[in-house]
């Protein structure tokens, strides 16, 4: 069975989205001293963009499959706002409950950019998933 059909089978998109969400939630609370160091100062923001790009794609894939291979504007907007709220809550919790991390509005902006890019990307490739 082709990989795309395997991904779209049954409850797999939901399981992938939930698993990824749980993993990144845990990773966002790892003390920053334990993370690899880079010389590239914007690496943190690019990582946020990439993480949220994948997060948005997994959740929109789930919605797409759940709705019979259709994307509805309302569902997409609710998804976008939910992911944005999740990112804001993570940043607040990092500031309140961790010692080596702090809340950063630029991380929230990077999360939003990644989410928007993810949704835009999915909308442009979703026709390939029907095959």
């Amino acid at each position: 069975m082709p990989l795309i059909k395997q991904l779209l089978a049954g409850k797999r998109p939901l399981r992938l989205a939930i698993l990824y969400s749980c993993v990144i939630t845990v990773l966002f609370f790892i003390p920053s001293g334990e993370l690899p160091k880079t010389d590239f100062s914007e690496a943190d923001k690019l990582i946020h963009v990439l993480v949220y790009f994948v997060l948005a794609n997994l959740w929109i894939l789930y919605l797409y499959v759940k709705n019979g291979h259709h994307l509805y504007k309302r569902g997409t907007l609710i998804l976008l706002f939910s992911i944005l709220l999740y990112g804001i809550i993570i940043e607040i919790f990092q500031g309140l409950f961790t010692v080596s991390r702090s809340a950063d509005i630029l991380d929230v902006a990077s999360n939003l950019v990644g989410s928007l890019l993810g949704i835009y990307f999915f909308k442009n490739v979703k026709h390939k998933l029907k095959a």
Side-chain angles (χ1 to χ4, degrees), residues 90-102:
I90 289 294
E91 288 300 317
I92 291 170
F93 283 6
Q94 281 179 340
L96 293 174
F97 302 119
T98 65
V99 177
S100 63
R101 290 181 173 252
S102 59

Side-chain angles (χ1 to χ4, degrees), residues 20 35 64 106 112 129:
Y20 184 79
L35 297 173
Y64 182 70
L106 293 178
L112 179 59
L129 297 176

Side-chain angles (χ1 to χ4, degrees), residues 1-15:
M1 183 182 290
L3 179 61
I4 295 296
K5 286 189 179 185
Q6 286 179 353
L7 280 175
L8 298 178
K11 300 272 187 201
R12 208 165 271 160
L14 178 59
R15 289 182 185 138

Side-chain angles (χ1 to χ4, degrees), residues 22-54:
C22 291
V23 168
I24 64 171
T25 299
V26 169
L27 291 175
F28 283 136
F29 289 99
I30 290 177
S32 61
E34 295 179 25
L35 297 173
K37 303 282 186 240
T38 64
D39 293 333
F40 183 53
S41 62
E42 288 81 17
D44 175 58
K45 303 309 175 236
L46 290 175
I47 290 168
H48 277 266
V49 169
L50 178 62
V51 166
Y52 278 79
F53 176 88
V54 174

